Amino acid sequence: MGLLVQRIWLILSHKSFLWILLFINVLGTVYGYDWYMWQLEITEPKFWVFVPDSPTASLFFSFAIIGWLINRNFKLIEALAFITLIKYGLWAVVMNLLTLFETGSIGWVGWMLVGSHFAMAVQALLYSPLYRFRVSHIVIAAVWTLHNDVIDYVFGQMPIYHDLMRHIHSIGYFTFWLSIVCITLAYWNWKSRSAGARSGGK
């Protein structure tokens, strides 16, 4: 079993596969920003950067991949990618499933969004061994993430799901705690890597 995991990891971390992953994430990022264009058109420019959450998360990850391809670690970008990919990946899955519960159908596009956003969260976890962010980077990424929650649910700039807007206060509460969980996962990732490094040095 351990040998199989090692072989899979060799494939996932190979530069040829990373190039494919970069292409997929760039494509998804462009699609995501295009998806949000209608909402950006009705949004004040000062809030633009806080509206397209998922494509910004995949943009962070794209830059992280570029770093790995050139044998560098953009540590703050990696922290931002890890936290936001998991957060907005799972968030979108939950929102689409709630829409299914509310309306009875989300169509093929909805299921495509469920699959692609779940994959966002999975890839963030799969590439945990490549991250090199530290606590300082986690703190900055946490501030960004929680500030985004304030902009979304205090200033009303959250991604618009028309069928769910009557649940907006509950969604805001859920989103806040999802942020806390993802920040905690980033800290756990750092702590695990640090413990492994210490053990390896003995």
Side-chain angles (χ1 to χ4, degrees):
M1 184 65 179
L3 184 60
L4 177 61
V5 171
Q6 289 180 359
R7 288 179 176 175
I8 293 173
W9 176 245
L10 284 174
I11 295 172
L12 292 176
S13 59
H14 194 278
K15 286 193 174 182
S16 297
F17 191 88
L18 289 176
W19 276 110
I20 296 172
L21 191 66
L22 176 61
F23 175 77
I24 293 171
N25 275 273
V26 169
L27 193 65
T29 298
V30 172
Y31 178 81
Y33 281 121
D34 181 68
W35 179 275
Y36 276 98
M37 280 301 170
W38 71 272
Q39 186 170 344
L40 290 172
E41 290 174 356
I42 60 173
T43 301
E44 293 182 61
K46 65 181 180 180
F47 292 125
W48 280 353
V49 70
F50 302 108
V51 171
D53 298 324
S54 293
T56 300
S58 58
L59 180 64
F60 288 145
F61 194 62
S62 296
F63 281 116
I65 296 172
I66 291 172
W68 301 333
L69 285 168
I70 61 175
N71 299 314
R72 292 187 61 185
N73 287 92
F74 302 133
K75 296 175 184 177
L76 177 57
I77 295 297
E78 289 176 357
L80 286 163
F82 182 86
I83 292 171
T84 60
L85 275 178
I86 298 174
K87 174 187 174 180
Y88 295 116
L90 296 180
W91 186 91
V93 169
V94 172
M95 292 308 107
N96 278 281
L97 292 179
L98 282 176
T99 301
L100 175 64
F101 179 79
E102 286 284 316
T103 66
S105 175
I106 55 175
W108 72 268
V109 173
W111 286 112
M112 179 272 291
L113 292 173
V114 169
S116 61
H117 283 81
F118 183 72
M120 285 172 55
V122 169
Q123 71 179 353
L125 293 170
L126 278 178
Y127 285 89
S128 293
L130 295 183
Y131 300 126
R132 294 295 179 269
F133 54 74
R134 299 174 183 170
V135 172
S136 58
H137 306 112
I138 296 172
V139 170
I140 296 171
V143 170
W144 165 270
T145 303
L146 294 173
H147 179 256
N148 202 340
D149 288 345
V150 171
I151 296 298
D152 282 356
Y153 297 100
V154 175
F155 292 89
Q157 303 303 318
M158 60 290 201
I160 297 173
Y161 280 73
H162 294 289
D163 297 310
L164 301 179
M165 297 312 289
R166 64 191 183 94
H167 303 296
I168 197 62
H169 296 300
S170 297
I171 291 172
Y173 183 76
F174 161 75
T175 303
F176 168 77
W177 283 108
L178 181 60
S179 295
I180 297 299
V181 169
C182 294
I183 293 165
T184 303
L185 285 174
Y187 177 78
W188 179 82
N189 174 273
W190 167 81
K191 192 171 182 179
S192 298
R193 285 187 287 107
S194 298
R198 287 194 297 269
S199 298
K202 291 181 179 179

